[in-house]
Amino acid sequence: MSKKEIAADIAKILEEIYPEVPVPLDHQDPYTLLIAVLLSAQCTDVRVNKTTPALWQLADNPYDMARVPVEEIKAIIRPCGLSPMKSKAISNLSKIILEKHGGKVPSTFEDLEALPGVGHKTASVVMSQAFGHPAFPVDTHIHRLAYRWKLSTGKSVTKTEKDLKRLFPEETWNKLHLQIIFFGREYCPARGHDPHACPICSKYGRATLFK
């Protein structure tokens, strides 16, 4: 089978298991999604979802957040890790959104990636989940599984993203990246994984998984 045929079969399996997929990070609008994704760097979605309600009580829009002292933001988001860096980024990007974008989260990759603390993966999540723009955010689960399933070499997340975009139809990207994330968590974890019991690895997993 060609890689495209394997990718099509994997997409079929994922669609059967996850016909509907929720957005993992709780949010109300593009701004709260942007902040939640920023907080999720080196942190679990569960921890972020436990932390953001207190942050939204303090400020859930760039107008209010820009007026909150960085130390107050840092105190609330400390459980998410990297709080000194993340709190400064939240404060500064809120001010930039006000000054340069009229208080609205920008809806282009270029403008999003110009914001403090916002890299390509974060921008991709916001473009996909907030604005419906075709994007394929590659997190650790997707990067790991693309290698396990021989869809990519695993040399870098940038390479993985390019490989997956070539293999899967653009109209599937926004849903598919979430399906792979959920599959990685529930069926195909990094540790304690039985490839024989995995509905995808049992068919397409690398031979090293079965040693």
Side-chain angles (χ1 to χ4, degrees), residues 183 187-188 193-202 210:
F183 187 88
Y187 290 87
C188 203
H193 171 53
D194 179 3
H196 297 281
C198 174
I200 295 179
C201 288
S202 59
F210 296 88

Side-chain angles (χ1 to χ4, degrees):
M1 295 177 73
S2 68
K3 277 190 178 181
K4 281 216 168 187
E5 289 173 326
I6 292 172
D9 191 41
I10 287 172
K12 182 181 177 181
I13 294 169
L14 292 171
E15 183 64 24
E16 289 172 354
I17 298 173
Y18 301 109
E20 300 294 334
V21 281
V23 174
L25 291 169
D26 296 339
H27 66 284
Q28 295 83 48
D29 52 31
Y31 177 76
T32 51
L33 176 63
L34 173 62
I35 301 304
V37 179
L38 188 155
L39 290 174
S40 71
Q42 297 185 38
C43 181
T44 66
D45 292 345
V46 172
R47 173 59 63 187
V48 172
N49 288 339
K50 288 180 179 179
T51 302
T52 48
L55 185 61
W56 304 152
Q57 285 186 345
L58 186 69
D60 63 357
N61 61 81
Y63 299 95
D64 292 335
M65 194 71 78
R67 292 194 289 267
V68 177
V70 171
E71 288 300 315
E72 288 189 36
I73 299 173
K74 183 168 70 173
I76 290 175
I77 68 171
R78 186 169 286 112
C80 294
L82 305 176
S83 59
M85 178 187 70
K86 291 177 180 179
S87 57
K88 289 178 183 176
I90 290 170
S91 178
N92 290 332
L93 73 80
S94 298
K95 293 171 184 174
I96 292 172
I97 288 173
L98 290 177
E99 295 166 0
K100 293 188 175 181
H101 304 289
K104 301 288 186 182
V105 173
S107 57
T108 68
F109 279 101
E110 182 180 8
D111 287 338
L112 282 169
E113 290 178 29
L115 295 173
V118 179
H120 181 67
K121 183 246 180 178
T122 296
S124 295
V125 173
V126 174
M127 290 294 288
S128 170
Q129 297 175 7
F131 299 118
H133 182 88
F136 213 123
V138 175
D139 74 345
T140 55
H141 289 292
I142 294 174
H143 184 54
R144 172 172 57 80
L145 296 187
Y147 176 76
R148 271 189 177 177
W149 300 338
K150 296 177 283 189
L151 300 179
S152 184
T153 61
K155 290 182 178 179
S156 70
V157 293
T158 301
K159 178 69 164 56
T160 297
E161 181 181 343
K162 288 180 180 178
D163 289 340
L164 295 180
K165 282 182 172 180
R166 281 195 294 265
L167 291 171
F168 295 101
E170 185 177 282
E171 64 271 16
T172 69
W173 295 350
N174 288 354
K175 183 178 183 181
L176 184 62
H177 84 270
L178 291 172
Q179 291 172 320
I180 297 174
I181 289 171
F182 279 99
F183 187 88
R185 292 173 178 173
E186 295 186 38
Y187 290 87
C188 203
R191 296 179 180 85
H193 171 53
D194 179 3
H196 297 281
C198 174
I200 295 179
C201 288
S202 59
K203 296 178 72 175
Y204 303 115
R206 290 183 181 274
T208 52
L209 294 176
F210 296 88
K211 290 182 179 179

